[in-house]
Amino acid sequence: MTLIGRVVIAAACVFGLSHCATLPDPEAATQRTQAVRISSKAGWLTYEASQKLIKKVAARGGSTDFLARHIQVEEAVADAPLSTGNHITLFSDGPSTYKAMGEAIKAATQYVHMESYIFEDDDIGNRLADLLIEKVSQGVAAAVMVDDVGTMNVPKTLFDRMRAGGVQVAVFNPVNPLESAKPFTINERSHRKVLVVDGRVGFVGGINVSSVYSSSPSGSGSGSASGSFPRFGSGKSSEQKARDEEARRTGKPTASTAPWRDTHLEIRGPAVAEIERVFIDGWNSQKAPPLEAREFFPPPRNEGPQIVRIVVNKPGAEDNHAIYLTLLSAINSAQKSIHITMAYFVPDPAFLTALCDAARRGVDVALILPGFSDSSIVFHAGRSHYEDMLQAGVRVYERDDALLHAKTAVVDGVWSTAGSSNFDWRSFTLNHEINAVVLGADFGAQMDALFDNDVALSKEVTLSQWHKRPVKYRFMEFISRFGERWL
């Protein structure tokens, strides 16, 4: 293991943080505390703003049509445009996502722009690197941006090889402040997962570039990712193989051995231009070479019936709570159902109140959360909120046959979202995130069907069962709760 790897692991142990979007930083303690106070206040202010917005929408006539109501709410929430004429394809695992991404990249004639929080030097990462280098040799421009913390333990030889092959590579917010393009803040990370090809097809969701997604969880039926990109390299490290052997011996799933369940979207249509703008804005905010000139915004085409809004978080901007406000407003306006599937669930008080209020007014509120996680402290911090939700009538399920990494919600069967944003303090306040909001009953039905499939593979947590949980879990919840705002 490298010295950097040991230092990072030691720091994580000291601060008890292993969340994929978490960076412990003692020097930023004062700044982080101030951010938490601001975020907490902003959360309640956003909650109040959302409540006022819903009342205004209701005062217009109180449409009983679920879709019409949510369209009205969306129009009132954010300044990002609602885009019509889109076609959405829903993926629920790595193999199907990588196959679609590989096909889109192979068909590229102009450019490939990609952003990923994690880009591993493994089988999947090297296959993708080879494919991008191949496309550059064919005259296609290729640019990749990765987060410096997300790729801290990735050998730089991977990105050097890509650069040598003509792929433009940028690093978001380098840990070394001398390499940063703007005032240094180590907590500000880009957690986005974005791919845009020729301005015609875009991908957003929760899936990084990593071999942890090489197999499919139960119920997805997508097989393996072996045919996604040209074959290159080996898979797991010796450390991973050792953890795999331990998991086989004990029979318990781990983040290394279990298949990962995640959600990604392929978008075709006018909304792709908004995804491309997000990528370009992020690229231009860093010390990166100018993007090779191509037609980034071709004339839009009508590809399908879906209405889409691309919503982003931009830490430091005046409006840095767009995703939070959008989610809160959808929940506050819910009349029938709220179905959430979430990898990291550590809600602030305002968000928790919105969920409990919805359940008390008769809305079917159900959450699918991880039965185990790659972050123990985040896992137990989220569980510390079960009591309040269960008492309010929220149904809680845990999936423990796969590592749940999806970040989705569907409200009233017509308002859906999927993207990179978790339901936690970091995603809502510190990370650069991107979500797609899709309005329509057809896509909502697909999302609800996926939710139902996950429910069938999960175990419900009842209030009576919860009261019987072991003391050691109660202790972990108590301890983790103290640090939830720093996760």
Side-chain angles (χ1 to χ4, degrees), residues 172-190:
F172 185 91
N173 196 11
V175 173
N176 183 349
L178 299 178
E179 298 176 1
S180 181
K182 53 186 179 179
F184 180 67
T185 166
I186 200 167
N187 266 306
E188 188 178 324
R189 311 312 325 163
S190 179

Side-chain angles (χ1 to χ4, degrees), residues 11 40 55 97 150 194 257 392 457 487:
S40 182
K55 289 178 181 178
T97 300
V194 167
T257 61
L457 295 167
L487 301 181

Side-chain angles (χ1 to χ4, degrees), residues 180-316:
S180 181
K182 53 186 179 179
F184 180 67
T185 166
I186 200 167
N187 266 306
E188 188 178 324
R189 311 312 325 163
S190 179
H191 193 239
R192 296 169 181 163
K193 295 88 176 169
V194 167
L195 173 65
V196 180
V197 177
D198 290 349
R200 295 296 183 191
V201 56
F203 293 80
V204 297
I207 294 180
N208 290 289
V209 179
S210 173
S211 287
V212 298
Y213 293 102
S214 292
S215 60
S216 302
S218 300
S220 67
S222 295
S224 72
S226 61
S228 305
F229 307 118
R231 186 77 184 174
F232 184 94
S234 60
K236 299 175 181 178
S237 66
S238 58
E239 292 93 339
Q240 287 175 313
K241 290 177 181 178
R243 289 194 295 269
D244 290 357
E245 180 59 33
E246 176 66 15
R248 281 190 288 270
R249 187 180 65 81
T250 62
K252 295 180 180 180
T254 68
S256 175
T257 61
W260 284 44
R261 160 71 182 89
D262 214 330
T263 302
H264 224 70
L265 304 181
E266 177 189 281
I267 303 175
R268 294 178 183 268
V272 176
E274 291 304 311
I275 304 174
E276 175 65 7
R277 287 188 182 93
V278 172
F279 175 85
I280 291 176
D281 286 348
W283 184 275
N284 290 339
S285 72
Q286 304 302 306
K287 282 186 177 179
L291 289 167
E292 188 173 337
R294 288 292 190 274
E295 188 180 12
F296 297 146
F297 302 102
R301 299 173 181 167
N302 189 323
E303 299 280 1
Q306 268 92 31
I307 302 171
V308 177
R309 164 170 278 143
I310 302 300
V311 189
V312 299
N313 272 9
K314 295 181 180 180

Side-chain angles (χ1 to χ4, degrees), residues 45-271:
L45 290 175
T46 306
Y47 176 81
E48 293 168 1
S50 174
Q51 292 281 30
K52 292 178 182 177
L53 183 150
I54 301 305
K55 289 178 181 178
K56 287 182 179 178
V57 169
R60 294 177 187 172
S63 174
T64 57
D65 181 274
F66 292 137
L67 179 58
R69 179 178 173 83
H70 282 284
I71 288 176
Q72 289 177 335
V73 171
E74 275 299 311
E75 288 174 338
V77 165
D79 55 2
L82 279 172
S83 171
T84 60
N86 299 281
H87 179 269
I88 313 294
T89 303
L90 176 64
F91 302 110
S92 61
D93 59 21
S96 59
T97 300
Y98 290 149
K99 180 180 179 181
M101 289 169 61
E103 291 173 350
I105 293 171
K106 290 173 187 175
T109 60
Q110 288 290 316
Y111 70 89
V112 178
H113 288 167
M114 186 172 201
E115 181 174 1
S116 186
Y117 177 70
I118 292 172
F119 196 117
E120 297 282 16
D121 183 21
D122 59 14
D123 195 27
I124 294 297
N126 278 284
R127 286 189 230 166
L128 177 56
D130 274 2
L131 180 55
L132 293 173
I133 292 170
E134 178 185 345
K135 294 306 296 185
V136 170
S137 71
Q138 297 171 4
V140 174
V144 174
M145 183 159 67
V146 298
D147 185 86
D148 200 28
V149 170
T151 57
M152 183 172 287
N153 285 328
V154 176
K156 301 311 174 188
T157 52
L158 170 63
F159 304 126
D160 289 342
R161 183 171 75 85
M162 292 169 67
R163 292 186 181 101
V167 179
Q168 294 180 294
V169 180
V171 177
F172 185 91
N173 196 11
V175 173
N176 183 349
L178 299 178
E179 298 176 1
S180 181
K182 53 186 179 179
F184 180 67
T185 166
I186 200 167
N187 266 306
E188 188 178 324
R189 311 312 325 163
S190 179
H191 193 239
R192 296 169 181 163
K193 295 88 176 169
V194 167
L195 173 65
V196 180
V197 177
D198 290 349
R200 295 296 183 191
V201 56
F203 293 80
V204 297
I207 294 180
N208 290 289
V209 179
S210 173
S211 287
V212 298
Y213 293 102
S214 292
S215 60
S216 302
S218 300
S220 67
S222 295
S224 72
S226 61
S228 305
F229 307 118
R231 186 77 184 174
F232 184 94
S234 60
K236 299 175 181 178
S237 66
S238 58
E239 292 93 339
Q240 287 175 313
K241 290 177 181 178
R243 289 194 295 269
D244 290 357
E245 180 59 33
E246 176 66 15
R248 281 190 288 270
R249 187 180 65 81
T250 62
K252 295 180 180 180
T254 68
S256 175
T257 61
W260 284 44
R261 160 71 182 89
D262 214 330
T263 302
H264 224 70
L265 304 181
E266 177 189 281
I267 303 175
R268 294 178 183 268

Side-chain angles (χ1 to χ4, degrees), residues 272-431:
V272 176
E274 291 304 311
I275 304 174
E276 175 65 7
R277 287 188 182 93
V278 172
F279 175 85
I280 291 176
D281 286 348
W283 184 275
N284 290 339
S285 72
Q286 304 302 306
K287 282 186 177 179
L291 289 167
E292 188 173 337
R294 288 292 190 274
E295 188 180 12
F296 297 146
F297 302 102
R301 299 173 181 167
N302 189 323
E303 299 280 1
Q306 268 92 31
I307 302 171
V308 177
R309 164 170 278 143
I310 302 300
V311 189
V312 299
N313 272 9
K314 295 181 180 180
E318 284 187 21
D319 180 16
N320 180 36
H321 299 91
I323 293 177
Y324 186 76
L325 176 59
T326 300
L327 287 166
L328 267 180
S329 298
I331 289 169
N332 284 333
S333 62
Q335 298 174 307
K336 182 181 69 171
S337 60
I338 299 169
H339 294 158
I340 294 171
T341 307
M342 194 51 51
Y344 305 108
F345 180 79
V346 189
D348 71 309
F351 201 92
L352 187 64
T353 297
L355 288 173
C356 293
D357 284 350
R360 292 189 185 101
R361 68 173 182 265
V363 175
D364 171 29
V365 183
L367 280 69
I368 302 174
L369 303 174
F372 65 97
S373 176
D374 57 344
S375 172
S376 176
I377 191 169
V378 174
F379 175 69
H380 289 291
R383 278 181 145 203
S384 72
H385 297 284
Y386 281 14
E387 181 86 14
D388 291 337
M389 293 192 296
L390 291 169
Q391 287 185 346
V394 176
R395 290 184 293 128
V396 177
Y397 298 87
E398 290 186 341
R399 184 163 180 182
D400 60 8
D401 68 319
L403 192 143
L404 187 65
H405 197 252
K407 311 142 195 330
T408 68
V410 55
V411 179
D412 290 343
V414 297
W415 184 98
S416 306
T417 189
S420 66
S421 180
N422 292 296
F423 285 15
D424 61 12
W425 293 78
R426 173 164 287 276
S427 281
F428 288 149
T429 60
L430 290 171
N431 284 347

